[in-house]
Amino acid sequence: MPRSGADLALLLLAGFRSLVDGAMTELAAQGHDDVRPVHDFAMRAIAAGADNASELGRRLSVSKQAAAKTIAVLQDRGYVSRGADPVDARRKRLEVTPLGFEVLRAGEAIFDELRHRWEERIGTAQLEVLEQHLTALLGESPIRLDTPGWLARDLGEPV
Amino acid sequence: MPRSGADLALLLLAGFRSLVDGAMTELAAQGHDDVRPVHDFAMRAIAAGADNASELGRRLSVSKQAAAKTIAVLQDRGYVSRGADPVDARRKRLEVTPLGFEVLRAGEAIFDELRHRWEERIGTAQLEVLEQHLTALLGESPIRLDTPGWLARDLGEPV
DNA sequence: TAGACGTGGACAACCAGGTTGACTATTGTT
DNA sequence: AACAATAGTCAACCTGGTTGTCCACGTCTA
């Protein structure tokens, strides 16, 4: 049964969806029913140093306006806070709140748990091989999160 | 280097994106710069027998209204045609046009070519193993295409 | 030191692809 | 014949993107 290239693509998508859907469900069960993967990614980027909207936009390969919108909801839900930047009055410095970090932590744990289940099903070594191959194929690719809609939108350069 | 579950998810996403971006780019180069993966999926479903809007919506796990919108653009661009259904006057029967089939064919060829390149990089057997594992993990999962936005929207049941 | 230029943020208008809800026309069932 | 279910359409709305415009502030340089 020779697989088609399209099947392969679908398989990868299904894998991603499976993990993410699982994670969202579990996160919701833990009381964080208002977090989306987008938010997780954004918080992670903020925690990693993208502490203002423009920078966040750059990290996520998204316009600063889009980043600002995401920040607005994150702030609204208490996951990040914004304060004046002491050194540059143009900026509003972003910070992940304790609640935000809690979600981040929970998210990580859930993903790790899901991965662990996969390990149990196909074997630790096998899963590692799978990851290695994927990594080899893709490089440590920069995450591009102009995602919602990208399935349907105009193309960017290929990865 | 123990990989995290989140990395795994990102890896799968990156893989999918890589293939799809590549395919869109190539398809655009061949003159079909107005096709999105969504359209491809929809045409495929229509060709496979989902010959009316409601049915298409069901196949794609999407509301019939959403399906109708997709059909509208597909029709507008000449990829599918709609005619009266001789047996049921409520229905408008969908048909993929020759142009639509051409795109479908081209898309398949491109995906196969991309998959082939992956074969060359990690080896035919290795890629097959990867696919087998993924398939084992996911089952021959029904494709759920309520996708644009699902990264950011409310959760459905996990796959 | 003044002005030019660049950058951060905000606002508005727009788009794509989804959603629900309401309504009509037709078909199928009792 | 009456009623229920289904196909399609319209309208209003949501989310997460996009551009473009504008202002306030910082930085660089003539």
Side-chain angles (χ1 to χ4, degrees):
Chain A
M1 149 184 135
R3 283 223 161 244
S4 84
D7 283 342
L8 175 54
L10 255 6
L11 219 39
L12 294 167
L13 175 62
F16 178 67
R17 281 214 60 155
S18 171
L19 290 177
V20 170
D21 282 346
M24 292 221 300
T25 305
E26 180 55 27
L27 219 37
Q30 291 180 22
H32 300 291
D33 59 342
D34 54 358
V35 202
R36 306 284 167 268
V38 179
H39 303 142
D40 187 273
F41 291 133
M43 280 191 276
R44 228 167 271 283
I46 293 168
D51 70 343
N52 66 78
S54 296
E55 181 54 28
L56 182 61
R58 283 188 290 266
R59 297 272 184 108
L60 266 33
S61 309
V62 133
S63 66
K64 60 179 177 176
Q65 292 90 332
K69 285 191 193 181
T70 302
I71 291 167
V73 341
L74 249 16
Q75 189 179 8
D76 183 69
R77 295 176 187 174
Y79 294 125
V80 316
S81 62
R82 284 197 327 164
D85 186 310
V87 13
D88 186 335
R90 288 171 306 179
R91 295 190 182 150
K92 308 256 174 106
R93 203 180 38 193
L94 301 172
E95 230 164 335
V96 177
T97 65
L99 181 63
F101 275 115
E102 187 191 314
V103 171
L104 247 23
R105 210 222 76 256
E108 256 168 56
I110 291 167
F111 270 116
D112 286 349
E113 161 64 19
L114 291 171
R115 183 180 178 283
H116 185 66
R117 275 189 232 157
W118 278 18
E119 274 188 340
E120 282 174 345
R121 288 172 59 193
I122 66 170
T124 302
Q126 293 302 306
L127 186 56
E128 258 166 39
V129 166
L130 191 153
E131 289 169 332
Q132 275 162 24
H133 284 148
L134 243 21
T135 306
L137 253 9
L138 300 164
E140 297 286 351
S141 53
I143 307 158
R144 288 184 49 204
L145 256 299
D146 50 341
T147 310
W150 72 264
L151 239 191
R153 254 213 335 288
D154 250 346
L155 31 65
E157 343 64 90
V159 173
Chain B
M1 152 184 139
R3 283 223 161 244
S4 83
D7 282 343
L8 175 55
L10 255 5
L11 218 41
L12 293 168
L13 175 62
F16 177 68
R17 283 214 58 157
S18 170
L19 290 177
V20 170
D21 282 347
M24 293 221 302
T25 305
E26 180 56 26
L27 218 38
Q30 292 180 21
H32 301 290
D33 60 342
D34 54 359
V35 203
R36 306 286 167 265
V38 179
H39 303 141
D40 187 274
F41 290 133
M43 280 191 277
R44 228 167 272 282
I46 293 167
D51 70 343
N52 66 78
S54 296
E55 180 55 28
L56 182 61
R58 281 190 290 266
R59 297 272 185 107
L60 266 33
S61 309
V62 134
S63 66
K64 61 180 177 177
Q65 293 90 330
K69 284 192 193 179
T70 302
I71 291 167
V73 342
L74 249 18
Q75 189 180 9
D76 184 69
R77 293 174 189 177
Y79 294 125
V80 315
S81 62
R82 286 200 321 165
D85 185 310
V87 13
D88 185 336
R90 288 170 306 179
R91 295 192 181 149
K92 309 252 174 108
R93 203 179 40 191
L94 302 173
E95 231 164 337
V96 177
T97 64
L99 180 63
F101 275 116
E102 186 191 315
V103 172
L104 248 22
R105 208 221 81 255
E108 256 168 58
I110 292 167
F111 270 115
D112 286 349
E113 162 63 18
L114 290 172
R115 183 180 177 285
H116 184 66
R117 274 188 232 159
W118 278 20
E119 274 188 339
E120 282 175 345
R121 288 173 58 195
I122 66 170
T124 302
Q126 294 301 308
L127 186 56
E128 257 165 41
V129 167
L130 192 154
E131 289 169 332
Q132 276 162 23
H133 283 148
L134 244 21
T135 305
L137 253 7
L138 301 164
E140 297 286 352
S141 53
I143 307 159
R144 288 185 48 205
L145 256 299
D146 49 342
T147 309
W150 72 266
L151 240 192
R153 256 213 334 287
D154 250 346
L155 30 66
E157 345 61 271
V159 173

